Amino acid sequence: MSKDYGQFCGLARAAQVLGERWALMIVRDLTVSARRFTDLHEGLPGIPTTVLTTRLRELEESAVITRRAAPSPARGVLYELTPRGRDLQPILDALGRWGAEAMASPRESEVVTDSSLASALRSAHRPGGLAGPLTYHVRSGAASAWATTRGDEVTVGPGEPSSDPDLTIDAGPELRLLLAGTLTPEEALASGGIAIAGARRLLEEFTRSFRVPLSAPAP
Amino acid sequence: MSKDYGQFCGLARAAQVLGERWALMIVRDLTVSARRFTDLHEGLPGIPTTVLTTRLRELEESAVITRRAAPSPARGVLYELTPRGRDLQPILDALGRWGAEAMASPRESEVVTDSSLASALRSAHRPGGLAGPLTYHVRSGAASAWATTRGDEVTVGPGEPSSDPDLTIDAGPELRLLLAGTLTPEEALASGGIAIAGARRLLEEFTRSFRVPLSAPAP
DNA sequence: CCGAATCCGGCATGATACTG
DNA sequence: CAGTATCATGCCGGATTCGG
């Protein structure tokens, strides 16, 4: 609904734009990379095209995203965040960590998408790791994403990394427990819930660089 | 809707609870102080009682709030944040600042409530002021709230401060511009948009301690 | 007074089909 | 590829009523 809350309040203004159904998911996908309409539609299972159209228009009116022609080889329209939209990234990362604290294992019928995996890695990253650069390629279920750490910074993206990764991680739902520290790298490998291609030492570095605590069991 | 997004993602889980209509407003009011049903209903103009009832139940199921019997003199039920709900406070403050950046002046029919004013002060506070403690009483429109700074910390509340404030500020919509730094204390007082009771020096301290930049003109 | 439950009109959402 | 068209469902907003 484009109805407001009748309050002169920053949070009310934010909620008017971001509180609409699917709006946060769309912005999250765009914090990971610019996307076309069809990319977004495929990356957000269940969203009706009508709703996607409406949200994109509203987010554009609110100066959170812009649309421009896709660069040369591709055709069509590319949606991307404006500077104002990019300001949301650390806030959504924090909100995602908050939500992830009570999220131990996937519910029936919950999937992992490229963008959700990439944004999870970004929000899980903490400084203090090896100087790098180090590139991790993570796959979980049908999703694939990569993360490159360089000093205290991290860059993430959907799909395959453009250059050969230093470590490839193939994981099931155990990835969540690995990020929580509930499961050690040794246990994860031994149980078969996680398989790697690359130096085993780098998996330990991965668990130091990416962490999301887990406070409650899965609801 | 209690429909989820079908994604194993922290942000999706957060959006399922907080993305519902009025949910963020309810939590915001509860970050300021514990409230009864009727308090919330009066502090959120336009919310239907059915929606308030439903949201309170959902937020309770998600362990964001709890309900308990109101303390002795009062009767009824008191809703308050759980520790997990309190974790949301800095995130909502950041989201409120983001929304406030594009909010220069109230739209037609937008009001200020006690809780929105109190939370605005909290999210506007920045460290580095006088050691204090200093208590400000701020009124704008029909809303009233207070803030006490003590070292680098701030405490806010709705209504009147329990002890005599060091400075009382009566403001119109110009308060937003004062917080943005667009309007100096001198200009605000001279234009009559703001009146104070207390030392004028403290108004300058107030503008140093509470600030929310303004990036775009009012949409 | 407090904390809702009930009834109802309208509109957003979700699902499917279809088009430039 | 990027949406529009159509329609059933059900949530939301507004008013009223009700038990404690």
Side-chain angles (χ1 to χ4, degrees), chain B residues 1 20-22 46 48-49 51 55:
Chain B
M1 46 219 79
E20 309 279 325
R21 182 119 169 105
W22 291 105
T49 59
V51 173
R55 289 299 163 271

Side-chain angles (χ1 to χ4, degrees), chain A residues 36-89:
Chain A
R36 288 177 301 177
F37 187 93
T38 307
D39 300 330
L40 289 166
H41 187 242
E42 287 173 359
L44 299 169
I47 189 174
T49 56
T50 58
V51 172
L52 180 52
T53 301
T54 306
R55 288 298 164 272
L56 289 171
R57 240 190 285 280
E58 290 167 351
L59 289 169
E60 192 183 359
E61 280 173 15
S62 305
V64 174
I65 68 173
T66 57
R67 36 180 296 157
R68 65 180 172 90
S72 184
R75 289 167 302 152
V77 182
L78 201 60
Y79 293 91
E80 62 187 351
L81 294 182
T82 62
R84 179 155 171 75
R86 254 174 270 126
D87 289 342
L88 282 170
Q89 182 181 301

Side-chain angles (χ1 to χ4, degrees), chain A residues 1 20-22 46 48 50 55:
Chain A
M1 45 219 77
E20 309 277 325
R21 183 119 167 104
W22 291 106
T50 58
R55 288 298 164 272

